[in-house]
Amino acid sequence: MKRFGQIIGVDPQQFEKYKKYHAAVWPEVLEMITACNIRNYSIYHKDGLLFAYMEYIGENFAADMAKMAADPKTLEWWDVMMPMQKPRDTRADGEWWANMEEVFHLD
Amino acid sequence: MKRFGQIIGVDPQQFEKYKKYHAAVWPEVLEMITACNIRNYSIYHKDGLLFAYMEYIGENFAADMAKMAADPKTLEWWDVMMPMQKPRDTRADGEWWANMEEVFHLD
């Protein structure tokens, strides 16, 4: 299992809308996340910052992410989410949510 | 089980030191975290921001946190960590690390 921590900004003006969508994520989007071997996935907010924590239980993360990015309903979901998000200037090439560095872990 | 997401800043000048300490956390500090019913505890870094994710499996979070805050070795550890950290101005009364709001979760 591999853990991921990711960060992105959210437009404070649109946070309530973002929250409302995430209180009722479309079932097809949830099913695709699970099908792509993501487990224990949480998103937290404070001060216009979103933090995501997730655990990946598959064998090929790149292939699973490509699968997710090819799913029409997921793309439709992203089309709604992305205008509300403010990606970090420091994100790596090809990232939207920026991967963070794991500094500490205790099981 | 209750999940927590927390945020705090870290002085960029001192981040390497912070990281070095966290690569070899004192065993007594780790044992106290476990004794206080914290599991699956991770800390991530990017852009001078630290994000913590943890799961609490106990029955009385306040009591367990008080127990941790009374442990001499933990207090000694915090004395080293706190000058490197930059707490958020928006944190609640009594907080150091600021609790974030859970916006989304999928098992």
Side-chain angles (χ1 to χ4, degrees):
Chain A
M1 186 268 282
K2 184 162 164 34
R3 292 176 295 275
F4 289 89
Q6 301 180 328
I7 188 170
I8 200 165
V10 60
D11 179 355
Q13 306 284 334
Q14 300 201 71
F15 175 61
E16 284 307 316
K17 179 182 166 194
Y18 191 88
K19 211 169 126 174
K20 197 173 285 186
Y21 269 95
H22 280 80
V25 176
W26 304 339
E28 301 93 330
V29 171
L30 298 176
E31 282 159 23
M32 184 52 53
I33 292 170
T34 300
C36 291
N37 293 310
I38 301 290
R39 298 290 183 278
N40 200 18
Y41 183 11
S42 299
I43 299 177
Y44 291 90
H45 171 264
K46 190 172 176 71
D47 300 341
L49 294 168
L50 298 173
F51 176 88
Y53 172 84
M54 70 190 79
E55 296 168 359
Y56 177 71
I57 61 162
E59 300 289 318
N60 189 334
F61 187 71
D64 276 326
M65 292 309 99
K67 176 178 167 181
M68 191 180 292
D71 174 56
K73 203 72 189 178
T74 297
L75 289 169
E76 200 183 317
W77 176 262
W78 289 348
D79 276 347
V80 183
M81 295 310 123
M82 289 172 82
M84 293 189 265
Q85 294 169 331
K86 301 167 75 151
R88 306 292 288 179
D89 293 337
T90 53
R91 70 191 185 280
D93 275 356
E95 287 185 346
W96 182 250
W97 285 79
N99 277 302
M100 301 178 82
E101 178 183 10
E102 187 178 291
V103 174
F104 170 75
H105 179 76
L106 177 66
D107 280 336
Chain B
M1 185 267 280
K2 185 166 165 27
R3 293 176 294 275
F4 290 89
Q6 301 179 328
I7 188 171
I8 200 165
V10 59
D11 179 354
Q13 306 284 335
Q14 300 201 68
F15 175 61
E16 284 307 316
K17 180 181 166 193
Y18 191 88
K19 211 169 123 173
K20 197 173 285 185
Y21 268 95
H22 280 79
V25 176
W26 305 340
E28 302 93 329
V29 170
L30 297 177
E31 283 160 22
M32 183 52 54
I33 291 169
T34 300
C36 292
N37 294 310
I38 301 289
R39 298 289 183 277
N40 200 19
Y41 183 9
S42 299
I43 299 177
Y44 291 89
H45 171 265
K46 188 171 177 71
D47 300 340
L49 294 168
L50 298 172
F51 176 88
Y53 172 84
M54 70 190 79
E55 296 168 359
Y56 177 71
I57 60 161
E59 299 289 317
N60 189 333
F61 187 70
D64 276 327
M65 291 309 100
K67 176 178 165 179
M68 192 181 292
D71 175 56
K73 203 73 189 178
T74 298
L75 289 169
E76 201 183 318
W77 175 262
W78 288 350
D79 276 347
V80 183
M81 295 310 124
M82 289 173 83
M84 292 189 265
Q85 294 169 331
K86 301 168 74 150
R88 306 292 289 179
D89 293 337
T90 53
R91 71 191 184 279
D93 275 357
E95 286 185 347
W96 182 252
W97 285 79
N99 277 300
M100 300 179 83
E101 179 183 9
E102 186 177 291
V103 175
F104 170 75
H105 179 76
L106 177 67
D107 281 335

